[in-house]
Amino acid sequence: MRTQRTGRTLAQGFTLLELLVVMVIIGLLAGLVAPRYFAQVGKSQTKVAKAQIDSLEKALDQYRLDVGHYPTSEEGLQALVVAPSGEANWAGPYLRKGIPPDPWGHAYVYTQPGTHSDFDLLSYGKDAREGGTGEDADIVNW
C-alpha cells in the first residue's frame, strides 16, 4: 500500500522567510519577557538583603544576651564570628558561615550606638550610596 504525501517532503526544509518570521517572533517574546524577568531578579535581591539583615539582627541580639551589650562600631559585625578581646562571656560564633556581603557584594554598615535604635544595620542597595529608589534604595533594620 502506498500513501500519498501532501505538502513538503522531508528533504526540503524551511525557507529563509519562514526562519525570519520565527526569529522575529522569538525576538518579540524576549523583548516582552526579559524586562519583567530582570525586574523580578532585582526584587529578589532586595528580599535577600532584608532576610540577611533580619538574620544579623538575631545574631546581634544573641551576642547581647551572652555578653551584656552589642558590639561597638569598631568591633563591628566581625564580633559575631571572632571573640573580641576581653569578652569572657562570648559564646559564639553567632553566624554559621561568617558575615555575608549584601546581594550586590558590598559590606553591611553597622553602627552602635545607632541613631534609630540600639544599633543601625543597613545596606545601601545596588548603587552602594545613601538614598535611592527601587534596587538602589537603602535596606535598613529600623
Side-chain angles (χ1 to χ4, degrees):
M1 269 191 172
R2 285 185 102 192
T3 58
Q4 272 188 335
R5 287 190 191 169
T6 57
R8 87 175 57 146
T9 64
L10 294 176
Q12 284 182 331
F14 296 103
T15 66
L16 181 59
L17 182 61
E18 290 170 327
L19 290 175
L20 288 174
V21 168
V22 169
M23 295 295 284
V24 167
I25 291 171
I26 290 172
L28 288 172
L29 288 173
L32 293 172
V33 172
R36 290 191 177 130
Y37 171 75
F38 288 116
Q40 293 302 319
V41 170
K43 287 179 186 176
S44 67
Q45 288 176 322
T46 301
K47 288 179 183 177
V48 167
K50 288 178 183 177
Q52 285 178 333
I53 285 177
D54 184 54
S55 176
L56 289 170
E57 276 186 301
K58 289 176 181 167
L60 286 162
D61 287 338
Q62 186 63 46
Y63 177 96
R64 184 185 58 81
L65 288 172
D66 291 345
V67 176
H69 59 84
Y70 289 109
T72 64
S73 294
E74 291 77 29
E75 293 168 335
L77 296 175
Q78 192 62 30
L80 299 173
V81 180
V82 177
S85 60
E87 295 295 350
N89 294 332
W90 189 85
Y94 298 95
L95 297 171
R96 290 183 188 183
K97 297 182 180 179
I99 302 159
D102 70 10
W104 301 279
H106 309 292
Y108 285 100
V109 178
Y110 170 77
T111 53
Q112 197 283 326
T115 56
H116 299 92
S117 62
D118 292 332
F119 61 88
D120 291 348
L121 183 59
L122 64 115
S123 166
Y124 286 123
K126 185 176 182 179
D127 66 353
R129 292 185 296 191
E130 191 172 348
T133 58
E135 288 182 70
D136 295 334
D138 300 346
I139 297 110
V140 298
N141 72 321
W142 60 87

